[in-house]
Amino acid sequence: MTTSDDTKKAPAKDPWELPDVSGLVVGVLGGTGDQGRGLAYRLAKSGQKVIIGSRAAERAQAAAAELGLGVEGADNSECARRGDIVIVAVPWDGHAKTLEALREELAGKLVIDCVNPLGFDKKGAYALTPEEGSAAEQAAALLPESRVTAAFHHLSAVLLADPEIAEIDTDVMVLGEARADTDLVQALAGRIPGMRGVFAGRLRNAHQVESLVANLISVNRRYKAHAGLRVTDV
């Protein structure tokens, strides 16, 4: 015989109850580029162990030495192998080739794709549509044994790199297929002062998140700004 107490549903999980990621090693593929380098700097400054990767280990090591904060440099293969969480911040034109070469090293890893497929002409930036739908979905197709998420698309590399700026006033849209994975990414975003990770759907919704960067570029050019995003009422 069951009672009403037996049939009560478990309380809903608090969406802001996030895991502790402070002990995880973060690898940044493309860590010598502006966006990757800026993310590496902010995460390392927050106390995260960071390894930046490049096609040439020497280039990554030189960039790591400039950043300090315990950041290490390695070639992309070692960076992918050593990272618990691996951020993909490579240029769009090298995205597929880079991930194809690292499929084995990234197997079983939580991968965060922050690449924005964009084109540029006389009218400014515009969004490209990859065959798979988005950069994140391309990553998921190329890395079937990895847990692919998407985040960190709308950050100003200028603000990330500026040591005079203590906080980055922005929300980070986080997309993925498993709540445990997106919670980890949200928690990682929250390690950076002023930043908050907000769940924004599954990977099939990544295209519009990636594409919005073209709009932000237009905002920044018109207003001479480094615009970010805030999601209200959450």
Side-chain angles (χ1 to χ4, degrees), residues 93-114:
D93 58 7
H95 184 259
K97 186 176 180 180
T98 299
L99 296 184
E100 283 175 338
L102 298 172
R103 182 175 297 168
E104 183 177 337
E105 290 86 347
L106 292 172
K109 301 293 179 76
L110 175 59
V111 174
I112 306 173
D113 199 294
C114 65

Side-chain angles (χ1 to χ4, degrees), residues 111-159:
V111 174
I112 306 173
D113 199 294
C114 65
V115 175
N116 303 304
L118 297 176
F120 295 86
D121 59 19
K122 292 180 180 179
K123 295 182 180 180
Y126 61 94
L128 303 175
T129 304
E131 182 179 347
E132 298 84 355
S134 64
E137 288 170 294
Q138 182 183 86
L142 293 171
L143 303 172
E145 296 182 37
S146 302
R147 294 139 52 210
V148 176
T149 60
F152 299 118
H153 301 90
H154 307 136
L155 307 180
S156 163
V158 173
L159 297 184

Side-chain angles (χ1 to χ4, degrees), residues 3 79 161:
T3 67
C79 175

